[in-house]
Amino acid sequence: MLSEWEKIDGIGYLWSPDLYGRKRKYLGPVHGFTGNVIPLIEGRELLGNRTYEDICSKVIETVVNTATTNEKHANWVAVFEESDRTKTPNLVQHCHGAPGIVTALSKLPRGIDTRFDQCLEKGGELTWHAGALRKGSNLCHGTAGNGYAFLKLYQRTKNDLWLERARVFAMNAIDQCRLSKELYHQGRYTLWTGDLGTAVYLWDCIKGDANFPTIDVF
């Protein structure tokens, strides 16, 4: 995987996975760059210090240079296109956008690059500003998945504000789950897009943990 990491001048390092018959540079944890980085972070003890430090440097460079930021917020496009680096990101969910970037990369060391640290917190601010998602309470593209960005930032910064925000999102997720059952007269019994993922998120909010399924625990 490391041998296929492509250097892009002025941006950093990305992969071009072949998905659905097309090679595209996805950024998020579900299909792209951030998802590939997760096992590199989790497997740091197998890589050696020098290799891990090099990975951290490349990841941080890429995240900073692909972010769209202002004074308060940061977000990332779903797919990076070299031909159009001015494309505006329009998704704020775990699979594509700031919440997934924050959740997947929060274990990278603090203090290496203040721009990276600020990008993650700005991504959290954008997630809070966007509010609960219309797509439901689920992990993949719902309120619970977004709320994990706050739990991750709480663990990273030790700032109670992020835990408070995570718990606010938890209340929204509960309301969404109840409303969905009233409308459709049944629950959704799946981890990623159903009630199981929401339940895991609620439990982590109670404990103040951030054990995102398939990233932190299997």
Side-chain angles (χ1 to χ4, degrees):
M1 188 168 66
L2 292 176
S3 67
E4 294 182 2
W5 218 351
E6 306 169 29
K7 179 173 175 56
I8 302 173
D9 291 338
I11 294 296
Y13 297 80
L14 291 170
W15 287 277
S16 298
D18 191 342
L19 289 172
Y20 318 117
R22 299 180 63 185
K23 289 189 175 182
R24 309 182 73 187
K25 293 178 173 63
Y26 286 93
L27 294 182
V30 176
H31 298 297
F33 163 78
T34 312
N36 284 6
V37 170
I38 292 169
L40 300 178
I41 295 174
E42 295 298 323
R44 62 173 299 176
E45 294 181 0
L46 304 174
L47 296 170
N49 289 336
R50 182 174 298 180
T51 299
Y52 185 71
E53 289 172 2
D54 182 59
I55 289 169
C56 288
S57 177
K58 290 177 178 177
V59 172
I60 289 170
E61 176 186 356
T62 306
V63 169
V64 169
N65 288 333
T66 55
T68 299
T69 64
N70 58 27
E71 290 184 1
K72 294 184 178 180
H73 303 135
N75 202 12
W76 289 262
V77 294
V79 180
F80 174 79
E81 297 178 4
E82 294 181 67
S83 60
D84 184 7
R85 298 185 182 182
T86 63
K87 187 176 180 181
T88 303
N90 58 5
L91 294 174
V92 185
Q93 55 197 42
H94 176 77
C95 48
H96 300 301
I101 299 289
V102 173
T103 297
L105 301 182
S106 67
K107 290 183 179 179
L108 288 175
R110 294 185 70 191
I112 294 178
D113 189 320
T114 56
R115 297 173 303 166
F116 175 75
D117 296 338
Q118 291 169 359
C119 274
L120 292 191
E121 293 202 48
K122 286 182 178 182
E125 289 291 347
L126 177 70
T127 304
W128 174 252
H129 180 76
L133 294 186
R134 296 179 181 178
K135 296 179 180 180
S137 63
N138 64 85
L139 292 177
C140 184
H141 43 257
T143 301
N146 281 21
Y148 263 105
F150 305 140
L151 290 176
K152 288 291 188 179
L153 287 170
Y154 169 61
Q155 289 196 333
R156 182 178 175 86
T157 67
K158 310 305 180 185
N159 185 341
D160 288 340
L161 172 67
W162 296 115
L163 181 58
E164 294 171 7
R165 289 179 170 182
R167 289 172 172 170
V168 170
F169 266 44
M171 297 301 100
N172 279 282
I174 291 171
D175 287 342
Q176 288 177 307
C177 189
R178 287 174 175 168
L179 177 60
S180 179
K181 287 184 177 180
E182 290 176 5
L183 289 173
Y184 302 111
H185 307 290
Q186 65 179 28
R188 297 194 67 182
Y189 305 110
T190 59
L191 175 64
W192 275 94
T193 60
D195 302 338
L196 298 181
T198 303
V200 172
Y201 172 65
L202 298 180
W203 182 240
D204 273 357
C205 282
I206 291 172
K207 297 189 299 178
D209 289 338
N211 298 315
F212 196 100
T214 73
I215 293 179
D216 301 298
V217 62
F218 287 83

